[in-house]
Structure formats: structure tokens, C-alpha cells
Amino acid sequence: MLDGESGAKKPESNERYDRSFQQDLTSSRPEGISVPILFRCPVCDKRLSIAERKAGSHTFCPHCKSPITVPTDDAPPTDLPEPPPRAPTVVALPFPADAPVIDQLANSWVRIGVLGGGLVVLLAILVAVTLSVRKPTPPEEVRNQGQPPTSVPVVPVTIPPSPTSNPPSTPDWAPAPPPCEVKRQEKSLQAADPSQQSTPKTQIEPAQQPPASVAQAPPPRLIDTAQPAIPPVRKYDQFGNPIGPDVGLGKDGEFKGKKLLFWSGFENTGKIFFGPTNPLWKAWERQGFTVIVRFGQFRTEWLRDIDQLWILSTAKFELPLGLPPEAVVAAVDFLPASEIPSGFTPAEYKFIVEATLDMALSRVHPLNEPAYRAIEKFVQAGKGLCLLSDDDPFLVESNELANRLYGVSVKGNYIADKTAYVRERKLAPDEIRKFKGQYEVADHPLLKGVNFLYEGITISNVGVSDKLEVALKASDGQPLIAVSKVAGQRVVVDCAFTQFCHGPTERTSYILKSAGAVRLAENIAAYLAGKDGAK
């Protein structure tokens, strides 16, 4: 096997030195010991060694893969002098010095390929020439093009033109000269112009006063590349009202630590309409309220630990003598379609009537005088109060407290069943028709985040007073929701509580089928907690 050693081409004297070293090994070896033959590849000039028994045989160079013959010279010269120090090699060019560089390289590659004996040698020399004629490393000024500037400040400097003539420019198509030629050119330029010898660029000192003709560059103008924030795409529910935790009067978790008590004197109020699954409780809890639900006998001590009180008014309700509740429920089957509230089938409305009678005919505990006086003091202390009534007769507590606080009554039995839309939302006619808006109302903080609001089925109204502000009118123009204008008081009177009732299924749930009902309840709770929409 051949062993090779990498290196540049050796001169004639080095080849003779290898032969002398081979003779010394042969003459001084002990008898019977084989000495490797040392020689060089005639193509790539790599130093090779092979076993003595391979003398005269044919093999391939392990470097350039060229076919070679192992030398058989048994009498190498013994009187060769010691090899002289290695000197630079002067190679005669096989073409005129002023010929174009591309032609020179092309002619040399063709000659080398023919002399080497084939395509393999041509490819090997092509790789060697490519590696040896590499483009020199560009100066620092060129390498820094396209890179961000350093922290060294830029100072305007006037540099006089060099007295020497500039060297002729090199065509763009010409290949870069070898590194050795670049160095020779640099030395020649330095010898011709001593001012360019070893002068560091960073040591150029500016003049104390810049020339008057050189204008100072203006400071860089900062460009704000930040993209404008894209507002989130608002989603809407099936009633055309926006969805999200930031659209109402209060925000999620804003009222953490506040306590809200919901009470009704009907013992069966929580059996169906205001049971544990009513969405009201979850909505208030999202706002941070601690929700307490009580039915039956009212206890004044509850007022000590709460921040707002919601009262679902009771009624003095009795059926005509001898008329059982079952007969009232059965009468629904004989109602004309126009008398069935919108969104309900006759069977669903029959269930609503039965649940209403179950609540209204249950044992009832209306407020007594001590309870009314305690609630008045509760309001005067700045705590919140929401009075929920419906059509007559479900308005006992609302009527009594509205009269005590503001001198007005709550009464009426109006069949409403319409959907209001807020004027200030500037809804398109197509949107109003799509979501069945039927009458226009003015905006109010209680309507924040509400485009459409269902007014209720059968409702009452609250009297007009200079102590009350109308927040929402019914489709008949009467005040449906009013808020207190008395300083320090937070009171809301709502005359349509049926929109907050929740049945056991979605089809029998008022609150799930009423536009804006949950948002209205959230806004009322936020208003009673001190929010008024001004901020």
C-alpha cells in the first residue's frame, strides 16, 4: 500500500535528497530487513512510500488517483551533497505574460489534462487551481459594507488627493489576483507614497474646526415602525348584543368582596323560576359579587352584612272561588295564537302559566313595617336597592317602597312583548330588522353594552317624579325602569321581572330568550355598587 504526505511541489534538489536518503536506508539496513521505497508522484508531486517488494510494479497515487510505476533504481547516487535550503520556486509560464487571465487558465488546464492522461487528472488539477487561486480577503472597508455601523462617531474629514496617479482599474469581469500579487502591489504603493505606510485608520484626527463648506449632517430621524394596534373583532350573541367581559358597565371581578342579597316572600320562588341554575347567579359571581339567595320570611339582620338588596315583589293573589289552578292551566289550550307570547309554543306557555301559579299561590311572607323602616335606613346609608315588579298584582313591595322613598306608585297591566333598540348605537336598518327591533329608546348607563333589549311580556310602570330619572321607557311610552336622582342614594325600580325568570329548559326560560336580560342585570348590580358610566 502507498503512503502519502501532503505538501507543495518540491524542487529538483529535494528529489535528489529523497534518493540519497533512500540509499542511506538501503546501505545501512541489516540483512533480511526490507526498506520502503521513497519517491514522488510524477503528477501531483506528493511524497510516497511503498514496500521494496513493489519495485517496478504499477499502482495508483493515493492522492490524485493517477496511474504510476514504482521506481526500480537500485543504484541511487551516493555522492549527492546535502540538500540546500529551500528557495522560492520560479515557474516558467507556458503562455505570454500579457495574455488574458481566463485564456491563460484555460490553456494551462487543457495542457495539464492532456499530459496527465485523462479526465481524472484534469478534475484533480482543477480543484487544486481553484483552491490555490482563491479570492483574497477583502479590505476592512469592503467587509463592513451592509453591516450596522459601529459606535465610533463619524467626523467629516477633508483628505487631500494623493500626488501619485491611481493605478489602472481592473475590469469587473477579471478574477482577483493571487494573494502574493496583492501583497507585492501594496508594498510597491507604500514605497512610492510614504504617507500610506502603516498609518492606522482609527488614528485619523479631525480638524479642530470643520470647514465652513461642510454642512453638519442632521440628527437621524427616528421612524416609528410599530404597527397600529388592530382592534379585536367584536362578537355578538343571537340577539345582536356584543359579547365580552369589557362591554358592560362593570368588569369581571371588579366587585370582589361585595355582597348581594336576592329575596322574595314567595316560598316557591326558588322552586322553578329562580332556582340554582338561573344564569343571574353566575353572572353576578363573574363580576366578583358574593350572591346570597333567600325566600320566605325577611330578616332585618341580613342588612348588616350586605352591600345591595334585590327584592322580587310578591302579590295578594287569589283565584275566584271554586276555580282550581288546573282549570287556569287548561284554559291556555283555548287561547288564540295572537295571545301566546312571542317565542313560545302553546305547550311551553302552558308550563310557564303553571309555574307562575305555583309561585303565586304558594305561601307568601310580605314585608312588615319593621322591615320597611330597616330598608329605608339601608338606602339612606348609601347601600343599593333594586325593586323588581311585574304586572298587577306582582308589585306589592315595589309600590310600597317607591311611595315611601319618592312619593310615586308602581301599577299597571300592559301587554308589551316588544324589543327595544338603542338610538345612540346608530344601527343600520338591516340590523334592526334582523334582530327584530320594534321601538327606539335613548341610551343610559344601565344600557351599556346593550343594542337590543326585550321589555317583557306583561308589565307595570313607575310614576313620574323629579326624584327619579327614567332609564328605559316601555313601548307605550311609560317609564319601565327608573333610577334615583337623590344624592347619595342608589335605587333602581324595574317593572318587568319576568325577563329574569328561568325555566328548567332553554325553551321555557325567559332569561335565555330575552334580548339583553343578563347584561341589564349585570349593569344594575354595577350601578348599585357605585358605577354610573361616567368613567
Side-chain angles (χ1 to χ4, degrees):
M1 175 171 299
L2 287 172
D3 295 329
E5 178 184 0
S6 63
K9 186 173 182 179
K10 305 294 183 180
E12 178 79 20
S13 59
N14 286 352
E15 182 178 357
R16 297 172 62 191
Y17 172 75
D18 293 339
R19 294 168 58 88
S20 175
F21 180 70
Q22 175 69 33
Q23 178 194 14
D24 292 342
L25 289 177
T26 306
S27 61
S28 61
R29 67 180 176 182
E31 185 177 357
I33 300 300
S34 175
V35 177
I37 299 175
L38 304 177
F39 66 102
R40 294 185 180 275
C41 175
V43 177
C44 65
D45 198 42
K46 301 295 184 180
R47 185 175 179 179
L48 309 175
S49 65
I50 195 169
E52 186 179 13
R53 69 177 182 276
K54 297 290 186 177
S57 62
H58 300 282
T59 182
F60 293 91
C61 174
H63 297 285
C64 66
K65 310 302 181 182
S66 302
I68 57 176
T69 302
V70 180
T72 59
D73 189 2
D74 295 332
T78 59
D79 55 349
L80 294 176
E82 291 296 326
R86 184 175 301 175
T89 304
V90 179
V91 181
L93 298 177
F95 39 75
D98 56 351
V101 179
I102 293 180
D103 295 341
Q104 296 173 10
L105 294 177
N107 293 336
S108 63
W109 291 343
V110 172
R111 292 191 184 96
I112 294 172
V114 174
L115 295 177
L119 181 61
V120 175
V121 179
L122 177 61
L123 294 177
I125 298 304
L126 179 59
V127 173
V129 172
T130 303
L131 295 177
S132 63
V133 191
R134 290 189 300 179
K135 187 176 182 179
T137 303
E140 182 179 358
E141 295 89 346
V142 178
R143 291 199 307 268
N144 290 336
Q145 289 183 2
Q147 299 180 2
T150 61
S151 60
V152 179
V154 179
V155 181
V157 178
T158 304
I159 302 177
S162 176
T164 59
S165 59
N166 295 329
S169 59
T170 304
D172 296 338
W173 52 264
C180 59
E181 185 65 24
V182 174
K183 293 181 179 179
R184 286 198 295 270
Q185 293 177 5
E186 291 177 352
K187 291 180 180 179
S188 300
L189 292 175
Q190 291 176 2
D193 188 1
S195 63
Q196 298 184 6
Q197 296 181 5
S198 65
T199 303
K201 298 186 179 74
T202 56
Q203 294 181 3
I204 298 178
E205 297 182 0
Q208 295 183 358
Q209 294 182 356
S213 60
V214 179
Q216 296 291 337
R221 183 171 61 91
L222 299 179
I223 300 176
D224 186 9
T225 58
Q227 297 294 330
I230 300 176
V233 178
R234 179 66 64 192
K235 295 183 179 180
Y236 295 85
D237 61 16
Q238 59 180 325
F239 305 109
N241 292 318
I243 300 174
D246 58 341
V247 298
L249 188 58
K251 306 297 185 294
D252 286 358
E254 183 176 356
F255 308 105
K256 187 175 182 180
K258 300 288 185 179
K259 292 183 179 181
L260 183 155
L261 173 62
F262 186 95
W263 172 84
S264 177
F266 287 124
E267 290 187 355
N268 285 354
T269 303
K271 184 177 180 180
I272 298 178
F273 285 150
F274 294 91
T277 60
N278 193 302
L280 281 180
W281 322 139
K282 290 294 183 182
W284 287 332
E285 288 173 356
R286 282 196 304 268
Q287 292 180 293
F289 290 104
T290 298
V291 181
I292 305 169
V293 181
R294 296 284 187 269
F295 305 114
Q297 186 69 44
F298 186 83
R299 300 182 182 275
T300 56
E301 57 265 25
W302 293 341
L303 300 176
R304 300 173 187 171
D305 301 324
I306 63 173
D307 298 285
Q308 55 183 274
L309 171 65
W310 289 57
I311 296 178
L312 183 76
S313 295
T314 60
K316 297 178 181 178
F317 185 79
E318 295 181 357
L319 291 176
L321 184 63
L323 182 64
E326 292 80 8
V328 178
V329 174
V332 175
D333 295 332
F334 300 96
L335 289 176
S338 59
E339 298 296 328
I340 303 296
S342 60
F344 293 99
T345 65
E348 292 167 353
Y349 185 58
K350 180 184 291 188
F351 172 84
I352 297 298
V353 171
E354 185 178 5
T356 302
L357 291 175
D358 184 66
M359 180 184 74
L361 296 177
S362 66
R363 187 177 180 183
V364 60
H365 302 271
L367 293 176
N368 54 25
E369 185 60 27
Y372 280 122
R373 290 197 298 267
I375 294 174
E376 289 183 75
K377 293 181 180 179
F378 181 81
V379 171
Q380 294 168 359
K383 300 298 182 71
L385 174 65
C386 180
L387 300 176
L388 297 176
S389 63
D390 207 67
D391 60 328
D392 194 1
F394 299 98
L395 42 73
V396 173
E397 286 80 8
S398 292
N399 181 61
E400 181 66 24
L401 285 169
N403 186 43
R404 288 174 177 247
L405 294 171
Y406 308 112
V408 296
S409 61
V410 176
K411 60 183 179 180
N413 195 346
Y414 171 62
I415 300 177
D417 196 26
K418 292 180 177 62
T419 299
Y421 61 91
V422 181
R423 178 189 309 116
E424 286 73 11
R425 304 295 182 265
K426 297 181 179 180
L427 302 171
D430 291 343
E431 293 179 294
I432 297 175
R433 286 191 296 269
K434 177 181 178 181
F435 296 107
K436 301 178 181 179
Q438 296 166 286
Y439 74 102
E440 187 180 75
V441 296
D443 197 8
H444 189 272
L446 294 187
L447 303 180
K448 183 175 176 59
V450 176
N451 295 336
F452 298 90
L453 181 66
Y454 181 67
E455 63 178 339
I457 301 179
T458 51
I459 61 176
S460 57
N461 63 78
V462 59
V464 178
S465 170
D466 56 358
K467 296 181 181 180
L468 293 175
E469 175 186 87
V470 177
L472 178 68
K473 288 185 177 182
S475 56
D476 63 350
Q478 297 297 320
L480 181 61
I481 300 177
V483 299
S484 173
K485 294 171 59 178
V486 179
Q489 291 187 8
R490 290 279 174 172
V491 178
V492 176
V493 182
D494 187 343
C495 300
F497 70 64
T498 51
Q499 61 181 325
F500 299 130
C501 295
H502 177 61
T505 65
E506 183 176 353
R507 291 293 306 172
T508 57
S509 174
Y510 280 106
I511 193 170
L512 294 180
K513 301 178 72 171
S514 300
V518 175
R519 178 66 46 74
L520 175 63
E522 292 175 337
N523 288 347
I524 292 176
Y527 175 83
L528 297 181
K531 296 292 290 291
D532 56 9
K535 297 182 180 179

